[in-house]
Amino acid sequence: MATSSATPMRSLDRAFDVLGVLEDARQPLRLSDVARRAELHVATAQRILNVLIDRGYAAKEEAGYVAGPAAVATAHAFLVNNRLSQVALPILQELAATTGLTPTLFVRVGRARVPIARVEGRNPLRYQLPIGDKLPLHLGAGKALLAWLPEEEQAAYTDTVTPFTLASGEQTTADGLTAELRRVKEDGYALAHGERVLDVTSISAPILHGERLLGALSVAGPSSDLPETEHPHLITEVRRAADAIAVRCA
């Protein structure tokens, strides 16, 4: 009985593994690449891709396999029905107006963070940050999520990503990241300079409902426009906004 029930669940896991590979890909993938990244036999990957194509969650182009349009409909349903993004939007608008910076709302998806809402400030970012893009947890605003994960989960993630080099060229070790995450949790916010993108400073805070981590709120702008004298005020504003979102989600 256990075997028969486990088989369909295993098939579902594999289908999500393949879908995750397509989500993370920045270009069309050959069948062999999908199979290798999903750690599946080529024939198994092909069967799963056929089902995903039938359902619109994958598409086959001349250059290879890509995520399908059904994923857009699923994302839209989330944005329309998700309470967090609904209650956060007016707070993001107010934060953009008062700081002139670009506030973004992030949620954790597995080992990544995903922006689900953003409002452009008076000083827009000089790079694109598409809604729904997967971004790392160990850089920038991601640390406002990573610092609040359970210790074992946080340590396992840290071991897999370290050492790494920031956009600024600075190297970070496992001990360095662990110490920084400890400081972030103690202080209640994350401050980042040129970690993922050069000349960009971000200030981020977790959105906590009791002990439950709902997401993270971040403001970002050109580092040249954010002197250190402004940091205390911005930290206060971001933390206050994050707390307001958490209260409205209660």
Side-chain angles (χ1 to χ4, degrees), residues 149-220:
L149 295 189
E151 288 186 10
E152 289 186 4
E153 191 173 357
Q154 182 187 117
Y157 178 90
T158 298
D159 287 342
T160 62
V161 299
T162 55
F164 59 88
T165 303
L166 303 177
S168 63
E170 180 182 348
Q171 286 209 335
T172 301
T173 63
D175 289 342
L177 179 58
T178 300
E180 184 175 6
L181 292 174
R182 189 179 302 116
R183 288 195 299 272
V184 168
K185 191 168 186 180
E186 289 174 355
D187 295 340
Y189 68 90
L191 176 63
H193 303 284
E195 293 195 353
R196 198 176 66 85
V197 180
L198 283 175
D199 191 36
V200 170
T201 293
S202 68
I203 296 171
S204 315
I207 301 170
L208 296 166
H209 183 220
E211 296 296 320
R212 188 160 69 99
L213 179 64
L214 302 180
L217 175 62
S218 175
V219 295

Side-chain angles (χ1 to χ4, degrees), residues 29-69:
L29 297 176
R30 298 176 301 176
L31 173 60
S32 59
D33 293 327
V34 174
R36 176 175 52 81
R37 297 186 187 190
E39 299 181 351
L40 296 172
H41 190 278
V42 171
T44 303
Q46 182 68 81
R47 287 195 298 270
I48 292 172
L49 283 167
N50 290 341
V51 173
L52 292 176
I53 289 171
D54 287 342
R55 296 300 182 98
Y57 285 94
K60 187 177 182 181
E61 298 182 348
E62 185 175 346
Y65 293 93
V66 297

Side-chain angles (χ1 to χ4, degrees), residues 22 25 27 33 38 40 43 82 89 97 116 119 136 138 172 188 198 216 223 236:
L22 298 179
Q27 60 186 12
D33 293 327
L40 296 172
N82 176 256
L89 185 57
I116 63 171
V119 174
H138 57 283
T172 301
L198 283 175
S223 298
T236 298

